[in-house]
Structure formats: structure tokens, C-alpha cells
Amino acid sequence: MTGVQLRNLGIRYGQVEVLKGIDLDIPASEFIVLLGPSGCGKSTLLNAIAGLQDVAEGQILIGGHDMTNVEPKNRGIAMVFQSYALYPRMSVRGNLSFGLKVAKVAKPEIEKRVAHVAKMLQVEPLLDRKPSQLSGGQRQRVAIGRAVVRDAGVFLFDEPLSNLDAQLRSDLRVEIKRLHQRLKSTMIYVTHDQIEAMTLADRIVVMKDRIIQQQGTPDEIYNKPANTFVARFVGSPAMNFLEGVVKGGDAIVDGENLRIAAALSSPLVDGRKVIVGIRPEDMALQADEAALGLAVEVDVVEPMGAERMVWCRRGDIGLSTRTPSSTKVKSGDKVRLDLSEERLHIFDAETGKRL
Amino acid sequence: MTITNSQAPVRRNAYAAPFSRALVYALLIVLAIVALIPLYVMIVTAFKSMEEIRSGTLLSLPHAFSFEHWWKAWNSACTGLRCEGLKVGFVNSFLITIPSVALAIAAGAVTGYALSFWRVRFANVLFTVLLIGGFFPYQVLIYPLVRITSTIGLFNSLAGVIAVHVVFALPVVTLLFRNYFASIPIDLFKAARVDGAGYWRFFFSILLPMSVPMIAVAGILQVTFIWNDYIVGLVFGGINYAPMTVQLNNIVHSTYGEREYNVEMAATLLTSVIPLLVYFTSGRWFVRGVASGAVKG
Ligand SMILES: Nc1ncnc2c1ncn2[C@@H]1O[C@H](COP(=O)(O)OP(=O)(O)OP(=O)(O)O)[C@@H](O)[C@H]1O
Ligand SMILES: [Mg+2]
């Protein structure tokens, strides 16, 4: 099994530094997801691991060997692209066997492996078709098959599902997870879709502004975001933020006292400016105007079947929360939001870092 | 949705109006006739006897169809000192056109590939030079090329003509291929590299099979261009490798005594048979190539 290590990796396009100081240790068999907004350098990083992108500084180790300057084909990797990148003039069979042919694998062995992979990915009936005669989902299956057939220790996925519709996307998501359980290869998966990240990953690496913002299990990323960016980026709808000042162990937000001590590891000095974050599901909406909690006015109610999203306003601040469908509220209602104290996230107002 | 569709019905109505439709057809028919009259005159004249040509009207059909003049044009008309007809030039034109086109396409495809997929040093400079080369009036280069070819001993030889044709074709063919390759997603290239395909493997196994329409377009353009070329063949081919166009000109301009219009017309038509055939048989490919983005940009 093959782990991947990145040591102080830096990448430039001409003079522009796209990634810098990337340190990442991916143990063998781990499913790691690189998550970040568009343009943050996820594809660039993946291409660098594949050997398709020159590295300005740092090292890439695959299976313990320095692969920084090794040709892609010799890195023991396989890659799946967002655009499928199937060879248009070759049949599905041709696509699956091309890499093996180039590597001069014996014919019977090629046939055996192609048949095996075709079966695994349920593309057997399609083997003699051209890519143009396949649906998007089938194309991506073939592209995944082309990666699997290489028998690589490391799989690289660059947003493989983002060209597919919602239903197919969730089907293939499960399929990829199953593939991982079966092959036990190391998988590095790039996406900007947080659902994919949360459902697939053993570990998520959140990237932005040329650097890694946080890495951790989906649970850590969700429940202990390292800064306001991660907190805002992961979770849907996004975490709510309130600005406040510390006073006597509480945070004073817009004239209200929020007890934040429970969310802090060490007390903060008075006068420190903080940002208090709270996820929509960590607030209870109290229809009773006299109840405890933050007084707000209901702005928009979105029924979502079992529950509702309620968008509230408090002056300029918007706050979203979920309530069971049984809670009857409508736009314009004056209600209260009861924040659960131990679920608060406290960030430094200046640096955005978690406190 | 309803907004975006608002164009379609308007257009259909415009064409549905019988009057404007009739107008369009009338115009097209008139233009077609204007374009076809000279061709018609050429064909009928080639079948007429000289007597009939002298007496008859230009547009009338021949009294008796005679292939005699066609045969003469092909086999025994005098093209300068020799009187062996156009067939010598026909063979020469083939000998010139086929290798020239093949070499130009091969070289243009490889250069276009290098320019679009591989980060060649000075790629942009090279590209600009090619662009300028493509629009440069080639008459200007004739004299320097005469000097160059005679210095290296290619002047007045088949190889010389072919070399000059390839040089002239290269900018345009390279640009065609470069632009076509630039429209191919880079991921395809990356996937092939991960699969272990190197420079030539990717080119031959993946890129070339995709480029068939493009090769057809370049082939059609260059076959007609080189076949119809006069000046390069005249200057560089010498007497032995004069292409059909040069011989045609000799027939038309060097007959002593009475001009044999019928033979001249037949010779002209024979000379244009190949380009016409190419157009008629490969029009489908040409359209496909153009539609697949071959010529855009
Ligand atoms: N060939 C290039 N030349 C110069 N800059 C580039 C090039 N390719 C990418 N970039 C820049 O590098 C940055 C990272 O690009 P990259 O494609 O890695 O982003 P990404 O995270 O994969 O985004 P997306 O989610 O949109 O795919 C971007 O700001 C982009 O503008
Ligand atoms: Mg990307």
C-alpha cells in the first residue's frame, strides 16, 4: 500500500504563486478530500501529485520514494478527470486497455484485467461502444475503470462528479466509496462540494488562498472549524456569525449577553473582540416572544419536508435556523432563538482563528 | 424560457412568406446561371469542330459530339517544343501534388502539435512568425528561393518544386492544426500521459485519429492549391517537371497559325478535373472539418 507525502510544496505559474508551503501526510489506504472554493489550487495540487505540473519547490513522496521529478506513468498513480477525458476515437475497450498496451502488458493479461474491471464497474455491455455513444454517467464509469485497470496504489480524482446530475452524482458517490473499500488504495479526491467531502472522506483538507486552512476528519472539520473561513465554507446553510466583545467571561452581542465560557478552553480578557459562530441546527426557535434567547424577526420560511429552514433578521444581521415542521411560524413573527452554549464557536475577530 | 424562444417563430414566418421565398430562389437561380454559363460554353466548345465554332453561336449545342479534340489535348497537342499533349503534365502534377501535400500535412500537424500541447520555447514568437508567413505574398519570396534552391542543387528538379510547395504551405497548414489542437481539452493529454503515452504515442494513437476531418480540410485546400499552382511549377520545375497548368498555358499561348479553341477548352477542362473531383467527393469531409472547428479562430 502506498502513502503520499507532500513536503513544503510550492507551485508557481510564471511569477504567480498558486500554492505555497503545502505539507500533507496521507497514510496508505486513506480517502482524503481536498476541499476549497474555485481557483484555490486544488487541481494544481492534484496535477502536481500526478506529475503533470512542475513543482517550484518542495518534495512529493509516493510510497516513500521521492517522485518529485518522475514521469506520471512511473508514479504508480491513476487519475480521473471532471471532463472524463476518454479517448474519443477508441472504443470503451480501447480506452480501458490503452495504458496497459503502452506499458506492453501481455495481451491475455490485458483482456483479463479489462474484463474484470468492466464487470466491477458494470460497463460490460458497453465495451464496443465509442465514448460519444455513452451517457455522462457511463462515461465517468469508464473513466473510473480506466483508472482502476492500471492497478495503481494511488487514485487521483479531480471533481469527477460535477458534470453529472444530482441523482447520478449520489449513485456514483456511493460507487466510489465502495470502490475504495474494495481496492483499499489511497484516494485523493478534489471537490468543492462539501456533501461529497463529508460523505466520502476519511480526512478533509480545506484549502484557500494558496495554503491549507485545516485538515481533519469530517467530524473535526464540522464541529471544530479552525477559522471562520472553514466554518463558513463547510455546512449548509452556512454557520451564523455574530460580532461581539468579551466582558466578564460573556460575549456582549448587540446588547445581549451570550455565555461563551462553555465553548472556550481558556477564558478571554475583557474587551477582546470576538466572532461568535453558531450552526443553524444548534439554535432552538421559540415561537413565544417572552422565552429566553436572542430576539429576532422571521424573514423567510422554507419548508423542506420534515423540517423548515427559517431565515431571521436582527437588525442588519441575518440568522438561519432549522425547526421541525410542527413549529408554526410565518414571515414577520417576532420569535426568540435559544442558542445552545456548548455548541458555540468562538473566533478571534481580527485573525478569524478559533479560540 | 418563453423569452429565449421568441426568435424562432419570427424567422419561420419570414421564410414562410411565399413572395420573399420566391425572391430568394429567383436570385439563387440567376446567380447559378451566371456562374455556370462560362463552364457551359467551355464544355460545348470542346465538343465542337472548328468550323462550327467559327460559324455558330457561342451557346448552341454542338451538331456532332466529337472527342477528337479531347484526345488531341491529352495526347498530341504541342506544349512548347514537344507535342505529346497534357498527359506529361498530368503525371508531373501528380508527382508534385501528392508528395507536397503529404509532406505539408505531416510537417504542419507535427508543428501544430508542438505549438499547442508542448511548451516549446519561444512558441509565441514562432506562432507570430507563422501567422505573418501565412499572409505574406509569396511572389516576394520567389527570387530568394531560386537562389537557395540553386545553391543546394534543387533548382529545376522535382524535389525543388516539392520543397518550395511545402515551405509555402507550412504556415497555413500549421495554423490550421494548431487551432484545431488548441480546441482539444488538455485533460485528454493529461490522461494519456498518466497512461504512459509519450510525445509520439499521444500524437499517433489519440490526436491523429481525432484529426481526420482536419486532415481532410488541409488536404483539400492544399491539393487544389498546389494542383492549380502555376508560378512555382514554372519557375522551379524546369522543362522536365512542368505541371499541367504550365503545359496548359503553353498550349493556349504558343499555337502557331489558327487557334484551336476546341482543343484549348478541352485542355482547360482536363486540367481542372482533379480539383473538381476533389471538391465533389470530399465536400462532406470539408463541411465536417469546418464544422468541427478546424478553420475557426
Ligand atoms: N495555466 C495557468 N496559468 C496561470 N495561472 C493558472 C493556470 N492554471 C491555473 N491557474 C491559476 O491557478 C489557480 C489555481 O487553479 P486551479 O485550477 O488549481 O484551481 P481549482 O482549485 O482546481 O479550481 P476549480 O474548483 O475551479 O477547479 C487559479 O487562480 C488559476 O487562475
Ligand atoms: Mg479544478
Side-chain angles (χ1 to χ4, degrees):
Chain A
M1 288 290 113
T2 338
V4 176
Q5 281 96 36
L6 308 180
R7 302 258 166 82
N8 192 30
L9 207 62
I11 292 173
R12 292 193 199 99
Y13 285 115
Q15 299 299 313
V16 188
E17 198 171 39
V18 200
L19 289 172
K20 72 167 185 189
I22 301 288
D23 274 305
L24 196 56
D25 201 332
I26 306 168
S29 299
E30 190 174 62
F31 199 124
I32 195 152
V33 172
L34 305 179
L35 179 67
S38 188
C40 72
K42 309 179 293 288
S43 300
T44 304
L45 184 57
L46 206 66
N47 282 329
I49 298 173
L52 298 167
Q53 168 70 53
D54 287 341
V55 167
E57 59 188 31
Q59 254 188 334
I60 298 167
L61 285 83
I62 300 176
H65 302 288
D66 184 353
M67 296 282 186
T68 319
N69 297 310
V70 173
E71 271 293 298
K73 62 172 176 180
N74 297 328
R75 293 191 178 202
I77 52 117
M79 193 156 175
V80 179
F81 298 86
Q82 176 178 354
S83 59
Y84 321 127
L86 295 177
Y87 312 130
R89 294 277 142 203
M90 292 183 197
S91 65
V92 169
R93 190 191 306 279
N95 269 279
L96 292 178
S97 53
F98 181 69
L100 300 178
K101 266 192 214 146
V102 174
K104 299 205 165 56
V105 175
K107 259 228 171 84
E109 170 72 10
I110 295 183
E111 271 165 35
K112 207 178 85 190
R113 271 157 76 172
V114 168
H116 177 70
V117 167
K119 185 150 183 253
M120 187 193 290
L121 286 157
Q122 297 148 33
V123 293
E124 281 166 306
L126 313 174
L127 276 174
D128 293 312
R129 291 206 203 162
K130 289 278 168 60
S132 56
Q133 300 165 318
L134 303 176
S135 72
Q138 290 169 332
R139 282 180 207 187
Q140 199 52 293
R141 264 171 206 281
V142 174
I144 293 172
R146 184 175 62 183
V148 173
V149 90
R150 286 179 58 78
D151 225 352
V154 181
F155 281 80
L156 308 172
F157 294 89
D158 194 352
E159 310 205 29
L161 307 183
S162 46
N163 284 2
L164 301 173
D165 65 50
Q167 180 61 44
L168 263 174
R169 201 181 297 182
S170 63
D171 289 353
L172 266 175
R173 205 168 63 208
V174 176
E175 192 118 355
I176 289 174
K177 187 140 193 169
R178 195 176 294 134
L179 198 68
H180 179 241
Q181 286 166 1
R182 182 162 171 179
L183 300 174
K184 304 206 166 49
S185 321
T186 309
M187 295 198 170
I188 307 178
Y189 187 106
V190 162
T191 183
H192 57 241
D193 181 317
Q194 42 155 325
I195 311 274
E196 270 171 35
M198 298 300 272
T199 51
L200 286 171
D202 294 325
R203 212 147 52 89
I204 296 177
V205 174
V206 184
M207 296 170 57
K208 193 206 163 205
D209 293 342
R210 302 180 295 169
I211 55 169
I212 293 176
Q213 300 283 333
Q214 186 180 6
Q215 43 178 308
T217 62
D219 188 59
E220 282 166 355
I221 297 283
Y222 192 78
N223 293 317
K224 287 202 175 332
N227 54 43
T228 46
F229 170 76
V230 177
R232 202 189 311 263
F233 194 70
V234 178
S236 173
M239 185 184 279
N240 302 294
F241 291 105
L242 302 159
E243 283 173 29
V245 182
V246 175
K247 188 177 171 198
D250 289 353
I252 313 295
V253 175
D254 195 14
E256 304 251 0
N257 272 36
L258 290 184
R259 289 175 191 284
I260 59 172
L264 285 171
S265 41
S266 57
L268 297 173
V269 292
D270 280 5
R272 180 139 183 198
K273 290 203 173 101
V274 293
I275 292 173
V276 179
I278 178 110
R279 294 208 181 270
E281 63 270 27
D282 294 331
M283 293 189 281
L285 186 143
Q286 310 285 349
D288 179 4
E289 214 181 322
L292 283 175
L294 223 51
V296 294
E297 187 181 316
V298 174
D299 189 10
V300 173
V301 181
E302 286 184 309
M304 305 179 76
E307 51 177 22
R308 297 167 177 216
M309 282 305 311
V310 183
W311 302 83
C312 308
R313 313 214 107 270
R314 181 185 164 89
D316 300 339
I317 311 161
L319 291 154
S320 59
T321 182
R322 297 173 201 269
T323 66
S325 284
S326 54
T327 317
K328 297 276 178 267
V329 285
K330 60 178 191 309
S331 179
D333 283 0
K334 301 253 189 294
V335 296
R336 292 202 173 244
L337 295 175
D338 191 10
L339 284 51
S340 63
E341 282 159 28
E342 65 280 10
R343 302 288 301 157
L344 295 177
H345 305 265
I346 316 298
F347 304 99
D348 186 289
E350 249 138 60
T351 64
K353 289 217 168 69
R354 184 182 191 87
L355 295 170
Chain B
M1 281 300 130
T2 47
I3 298 167
T4 55
N5 278 336
S6 67
Q7 286 268 319
V10 174
R11 270 169 71 192
R12 198 175 308 131
N13 285 342
Y15 278 99
F19 176 71
S20 50
R21 180 185 285 225
L23 203 70
V24 166
Y25 277 110
L27 197 67
L28 286 175
I29 289 167
V30 169
L31 285 175
I33 291 173
V34 169
L36 287 175
I37 281 181
L39 185 64
Y40 168 79
V41 170
M42 283 178 77
I43 294 172
V44 292
T45 307
F47 283 106
K48 288 176 184 171
S49 67
M50 278 312 293
E51 253 164 72
E52 199 185 337
I53 292 172
R54 258 179 264 122
S55 63
T57 55
L58 209 56
L59 294 175
S60 66
L61 282 171
H63 293 307
F65 282 88
S66 152
F67 282 93
E68 195 187 316
H69 328 108
W70 293 82
W71 186 244
K72 186 174 180 193
W74 178 253
N75 219 23
S76 63
C78 291
T79 57
L81 295 177
R82 289 197 283 178
C83 290
E84 294 170 0
L86 277 174
K87 61 177 190 292
V88 184
F90 185 77
V91 172
N92 285 346
S93 281
F94 260 100
L95 290 178
I96 293 169
T97 304
I98 290 176
S100 302
V101 172
L103 283 174
I105 288 179
V110 171
T111 323
Y113 171 48
L115 282 177
S116 53
F117 279 98
W118 296 82
R119 270 169 292 159
V120 190
R121 294 226 286 158
F122 310 120
N124 285 335
V125 179
L126 218 66
F127 183 66
T128 316
V129 170
L130 277 173
L131 208 64
I132 295 170
F135 293 105
F136 212 70
Y138 72 102
Q139 289 82 349
V140 176
L141 298 173
I142 295 278
Y143 182 63
L145 277 170
V146 168
R147 295 302 304 267
I148 293 171
T149 48
S150 56
T151 309
I152 57 177
L154 286 180
F155 190 62
N156 268 353
S157 73
L158 184 58
V161 185
I162 292 171
V164 172
H165 273 308
V166 171
V167 166
F168 283 145
L170 210 50
V172 170
V173 177
T174 303
L175 285 181
L176 281 177
F177 277 101
R178 196 212 77 107
N179 285 357
Y180 178 60
F181 293 155
S183 73
I184 290 172
I186 189 77
D187 280 358
L188 209 57
F189 179 69
K190 291 181 177 171
R193 276 194 73 193
V194 170
D195 264 345
Y199 187 93
W200 293 112
R201 188 71 188 238
F202 177 69
F203 183 69
F204 283 112
S205 295
I206 291 156
L207 211 51
L208 271 195
M210 292 175 71
S211 311
V212 171
M214 190 55 237
I215 292 169
V217 169
I220 294 161
L221 288 177
Q222 289 305 320
V223 164
T224 49
F225 186 77
I226 293 177
W227 188 276
N228 291 336
D229 157 74
Y230 173 75
I231 194 161
V232 173
L234 178 71
V235 174
F236 294 89
I239 299 173
N240 290 334
Y241 291 103
M244 217 172 173
T245 46
V246 172
Q247 297 209 328
L248 172 66
N249 181 60
N250 291 350
I251 291 176
V252 175
H253 282 148
S254 69
T255 35
Y256 298 102
E258 188 190 38
R259 291 192 64 170
E260 295 177 288
Y261 290 110
N262 43 13
V263 174
E264 288 172 11
M265 293 301 177
T268 309
L269 286 167
L270 284 172
T271 308
S272 52
V273 158
I274 294 295
L276 285 177
L277 265 182
V278 167
Y279 274 129
F280 285 135
T281 55
S282 54
R284 193 171 60 97
W285 283 106
F286 193 79
V287 171
R288 227 201 270 178
V290 173
S292 71
V295 184
K296 75 162 182 234

